[in-house]
Amino acid sequence: KQEVTQIPAALSVPEGENLVLNCSFTDSAIYNLQWFRQDPGKGLTSLLLIQSSQREQTSGRLNASLDKSSGRSTLYIAASQPGDSATYLCAVQNSGNTPLVFGKGTRLSVIA
Amino acid sequence: GAGVSQSPSNKVTEKGKDVELRCDPISGHTALYWYRQSLGQGLEFLIYFQGNSAPDKSGLPSDRFSAERTGGSVSTLTIQRTQQEDSAVYLCASSLRRGNGYTFGSGTRLTVV
């Protein structure tokens, strides 16, 4: 059974810092991995999708990497801003027809 | 539509009543998922629809929960005889096809009193 773990559970950083969020998964035979952002009381916003054949994806100040063999992904946020404050969720899909399995998220606070 | 639409956004119901939650996926998306997010918990998979295939109901927590998807589009999640532990945010997501990322709706916050 696939299990996804995110460390740390919470993180507080001053504005302008670069930071890394970690995600690990127990079954390395994944189909894809997706990072989401969730603001309080809101739904999920997709940030980056990495297919199993890819090693990283970039969007603006965000960069996500994938190391399937070690069962790890990282989300790198450059030059953090208060608006980046949210919960970041990592999720993996074992095949195209199976549901996403989510970690419990990292709650990020960027202090101005 | 432009995104996944869920209604109602908030629902307060009395214990023992039935509730229906609605999800309108993005037009043309063949895959539709329901998840539940309880306070302080991660997202829990409930049910998955893919085209005309039989749905994957393996995540439904009890027989009080059911869902249908009419015409391959709109989906309704029904909870019968609601209990206080059913209080959660119910999230719907759709995907264009295999391997594509998911797009989530804003969710329905269900409170059972």
Side-chain angles (χ1 to χ4, degrees):
Chain A
K1 178 187 170 186
Q2 179 72 273
E3 293 183 0
V4 180
T5 303
Q6 291 187 247
I7 295 173
L11 180 64
S12 182
V13 301
E15 181 178 7
E17 270 203 9
N18 302 325
L19 59 101
V20 173
L21 308 181
N22 296 292
C23 171
S24 61
F25 43 94
T26 53
D27 183 352
S28 62
I30 64 169
Y31 191 78
N32 62 37
L33 182 146
Q34 197 165 358
W35 282 93
F36 294 88
R37 167 187 173 136
Q38 187 175 31
D39 293 283
K42 305 290 186 183
L44 277 66
T45 300
S46 178
L47 298 174
L48 291 164
L49 169 69
I50 310 177
Q51 302 291 350
S52 62
S53 58
Q54 298 173 325
R55 294 202 50 99
E56 67 176 345
Q57 284 286 336
T58 298
S59 176
R61 293 183 294 108
L62 306 180
N63 175 278
S65 68
L66 173 64
D67 184 342
K68 269 183 55 176
S69 61
S70 66
R72 295 176 190 272
S73 175
T74 61
L75 179 67
Y76 175 83
I77 303 177
S80 57
Q81 303 170 359
D84 295 330
S85 298
T87 295
Y88 290 80
L89 295 159
C90 168
V92 300
Q93 194 171 17
N94 278 56
S95 79
N97 296 322
T98 57
L100 282 171
V101 178
F102 283 83
K104 293 191 176 181
T106 294
R107 189 171 67 254
L108 173 66
S109 297
V110 181
I111 311 301
Chain B
V4 177
S5 178
Q6 291 189 246
S7 60
S9 55
N10 280 284
K11 176 72 176 179
V12 179
T13 190
E14 291 181 352
K15 178 181 172 182
K17 301 278 191 181
D18 298 352
V19 294
E20 283 190 354
L21 312 180
R22 177 187 169 104
C23 173
D24 261 300
I26 292 174
S27 178
H29 279 200
T30 60
L32 187 148
Y33 300 80
W34 283 97
Y35 283 82
R36 177 169 73 174
Q37 187 174 35
S38 303
L39 189 63
Q41 301 297 313
L43 273 81
E44 175 188 8
F45 163 70
L46 297 177
I47 188 168
Y48 161 50
F49 297 90
Q50 173 62 58
N52 295 321
S53 302
D56 176 356
K57 304 179 182 180
S58 60
L60 294 178
S62 78
D63 59 8
R64 295 186 296 105
F65 288 72
S66 64
E68 61 178 25
R69 188 177 184 191
T70 54
S73 181
V74 172
S75 177
T76 302
L77 177 68
T78 301
I79 309 173
Q80 297 179 308
R81 305 181 302 281
T82 52
Q83 304 294 314
Q84 288 186 327
E85 62 262 28
D86 299 335
S87 297
V89 176
Y90 290 82
L91 291 160
C92 174
S94 70
S95 179
L96 177 60
R97 56 180 176 267
R98 176 188 171 107
N100 275 56
Y102 290 27
T103 301
F104 276 81
S106 297
T108 293
R109 181 174 298 278
L110 175 66
T111 304
V112 182
V113 298

